[in-house]
């Protein structure tokens, strides 16, 4: 795995943990923040998949377009 893929995965894991922490907060949850970090997590994992396959991608944040690009390489994502 190359350095860029590792960076995308590292950042995606950080977003996952932030989203989960906010979602599980009992006293003062920030669901907007949880949603934001969940979106960022999905985006970064999608970009990691594309990076693994040396697929170029633009600086987009569209969670409809990114997974569509990933399905070519990871067909199970369609489910």
């Amino acid at each position: 795995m190359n350095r860029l893929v590792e960076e995308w995965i590292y950042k995606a894991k950080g977003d996952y943990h932030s989203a989960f922490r906010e979602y599980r907060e009992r006293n003062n949850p920030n669901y907007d923040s949880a949603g934001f970090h969940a979106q960022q997590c999905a985006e970064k994992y999608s970009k990691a998949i594309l990076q693994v396959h040396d697929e170029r991608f633009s600086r987009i944040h569209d969670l409809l377009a990114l997974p569509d690009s990933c399905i070519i390489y990871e067909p199970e994502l369609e489910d």
Side-chain angles (χ1 to χ4, degrees), residues 3-30:
R3 184 184 59 79
L4 289 174
V5 173
E6 289 174 356
E7 284 182 35
W8 283 118
I9 291 172
Y10 176 80
K11 290 178 184 227
K13 285 180 180 180
D15 281 317
Y16 170 82
H17 291 295
S18 294
F20 192 70
R21 189 171 39 251
E22 284 299 327
Y23 173 74
R24 299 275 301 171
E25 175 62 39
R26 291 179 186 251
N27 295 325
N28 191 19
N30 184 337

Side-chain angles (χ1 to χ4, degrees), residues 19 22 30-40:
E22 284 299 327
N30 184 337
Y31 296 121
D32 288 339
S33 179
F36 171 78
H37 286 290
Q39 183 273 334
Q40 289 291 296

Side-chain angles (χ1 to χ4, degrees), residues 37-76:
H37 286 290
Q39 183 273 334
Q40 289 291 296
C41 177
E43 178 182 329
K44 289 170 184 159
Y45 272 125
S46 296
K47 289 179 178 181
I49 291 169
L50 296 174
Q51 188 71 49
V52 163
H53 297 284
D54 293 321
E55 181 73 33
R56 291 201 176 274
F57 51 87
S58 60
R59 296 187 70 179
I60 63 170
H61 305 285
D62 185 345
L63 284 184
L64 296 176
L66 279 169
D68 283 347
S69 299
C70 295
I71 288 172
I72 297 166
Y73 306 108
E74 305 290 337
E76 65 275 4

